[in-house]
Amino acid sequence: MPNWEWTRVVTGRTTGELEELEALISNFKMAPEKEDSWNWNWNLCGSGKFSTKSLTKELMAKCFPPNSSNIATLRNNLVPIKVGVFVWRVRWGRIPVLFELYKRGVDLNSVICSLCDYAVETVSHALFSCKLV
Ligand SMILES: [Zn+2]
């Protein structure tokens, strides 16, 4: 196990991610006689060269497998991409409101909405129910 020197205590979801990372690198051994290099070790491109196209394909396959029970995603060409991305971020809780930041381990003084000072700042509150937005 690596000897970490954190400036803050690892909490929340980060703890699980750290354990996953430690498991991934637990059998990794440095080879000081070899020169470091970056390789794109991906099945889609045998060349070893990175391309955003291959990354996008692989990420889409991982996030939305063909036979998964995920909600289908459809692209509507009449809606600007930035609007579609925003809706996707709302749907999956990826808007950086205070409560989402807190869930991800960000150290905050409060998760109460700073505008109305009445309710927890969730995506729903920030977009639909805050009386001052
Ligand atoms: Zn509010």
Side-chain angles (χ1 to χ4, degrees), residues 113 115-117 125 130-131:
C113 176
L115 292 176
C116 67
D117 203 23
H125 175 78
C130 182
K131 291 182 169 117

Side-chain angles (χ1 to χ4, degrees), residues 112-121 125-126 129-133:
I112 301 297
C113 176
S114 59
L115 292 176
C116 67
D117 203 23
Y118 177 72
V120 172
E121 187 183 284
H125 175 78
S129 63
C130 182
K131 291 182 169 117
L132 297 177
V133 171

